[in-house]
Amino acid sequence: MNHFEFFNLPVAYDVDLADLQQRYRKLQQALHPDRHAAGSERDKLMAVQRTAQLNDAYQTLRSPLLRAEHLLALRGVDMQHEQKTLQDPEFLMAQMEWRERVEELDVGDFAGIDAAYKDLAAQTAELQAELENLLAAEDNEEAADTIRKLKFMHKLRRELEALEDI
């Protein structure tokens, strides 16, 4: 399913999130299962399915990472359930350094955690800009590798958040 078509949006990485939200709310009202309460069982089931598709499409297009994956899937590069690992030695070294840095952080070291957040945000922003350029150039394989890198960065952010929650 093409999520861009669902919202009648051009197939592009750059999405106006306010416009997306407005379209989502209109579709949500139009497709809501309560509007089909008097219909047949088939109509009710279809309304529930369309609402689920709507929610899935909205969540996908709202997230830059999921949107990029969806865009690549539309271009024939399916990253769902893949087992491919990065072959970029520089990034693999950076991953190890990040792992060591996070492991060395103490739970109460808010200055260290804050510094890690800032460095992570800067590196994530660089990768995000790189991804935008690669998608625009339709360099799908490199874009897929950049998505893999961004997934690591997002996972690392969740780990830093978990340190704060302890």
Side-chain angles (χ1 to χ4, degrees), residues 4 13 15 17 60-71:
F4 295 98
Y13 181 71
V15 170
L17 294 178
T60 298
L61 295 183
R62 246 183 70 189
S63 164
L65 202 53
L66 295 176
R67 184 180 334 121
E69 279 189 67
H70 181 64
L71 192 55

Side-chain angles (χ1 to χ4, degrees), residues 3-165:
H3 298 319
F4 295 98
E5 286 178 3
F6 198 84
F7 286 98
N8 197 27
L9 290 170
V11 177
Y13 181 71
D14 188 32
V15 170
D16 179 343
L17 294 178
D19 181 44
L20 175 66
Q21 185 178 38
Q22 185 178 30
R23 290 169 189 255
Y24 170 70
R25 288 197 173 138
K26 284 181 183 175
L27 284 168
Q28 193 178 37
Q29 288 174 347
L31 298 174
H32 198 278
D34 287 350
R35 288 187 170 263
H36 304 277
S40 69
E41 287 302 314
R42 183 177 187 284
D43 289 343
K44 290 177 191 177
L45 179 61
M46 291 294 290
V48 169
Q49 288 175 337
R50 291 295 283 172
T51 300
Q53 290 172 335
L54 172 67
N55 292 332
D56 182 48
Y58 179 66
Q59 293 305 321
T60 298
L61 295 183
R62 246 183 70 189
S63 164
L65 202 53
L66 295 176
R67 184 180 334 121
E69 279 189 67
H70 181 64
L71 192 55
L72 286 183
L74 293 175
R75 294 177 181 176
V77 180
D78 188 9
M79 297 183 69
Q80 299 265 341
H81 313 294
E82 73 172 5
Q83 299 298 317
K84 185 175 179 182
T85 58
L86 279 169
Q87 301 300 317
D88 181 343
E90 253 182 68
F91 189 76
L92 294 174
M93 283 300 294
Q95 277 183 315
M96 290 190 322
E97 290 169 9
W98 269 109
R99 286 271 165 243
E100 289 172 10
R101 183 175 178 181
V102 170
E103 286 174 13
E104 291 171 1
L105 285 172
D106 292 322
V107 173
D109 182 8
F110 296 115
I113 293 171
D114 189 48
Y117 268 127
K118 287 178 182 172
D119 292 344
L120 185 65
Q123 288 182 15
T124 300
E126 287 175 22
L127 286 170
Q128 193 68 43
E130 181 181 324
L131 177 61
E132 288 180 45
N133 292 331
L134 291 167
L135 288 170
E138 296 192 20
D139 188 345
N140 298 333
E141 289 304 316
E142 286 296 318
D145 280 344
T146 303
I147 289 171
R148 291 178 190 100
K149 292 174 185 178
L150 280 165
K151 284 182 177 183
F152 169 78
M153 302 307 265
H154 285 268
K155 182 179 178 186
L156 198 57
R157 180 171 179 82
R158 287 190 300 275
E159 290 175 21
L160 284 174
E161 289 168 352
L163 273 176
E164 283 185 321
D165 292 341

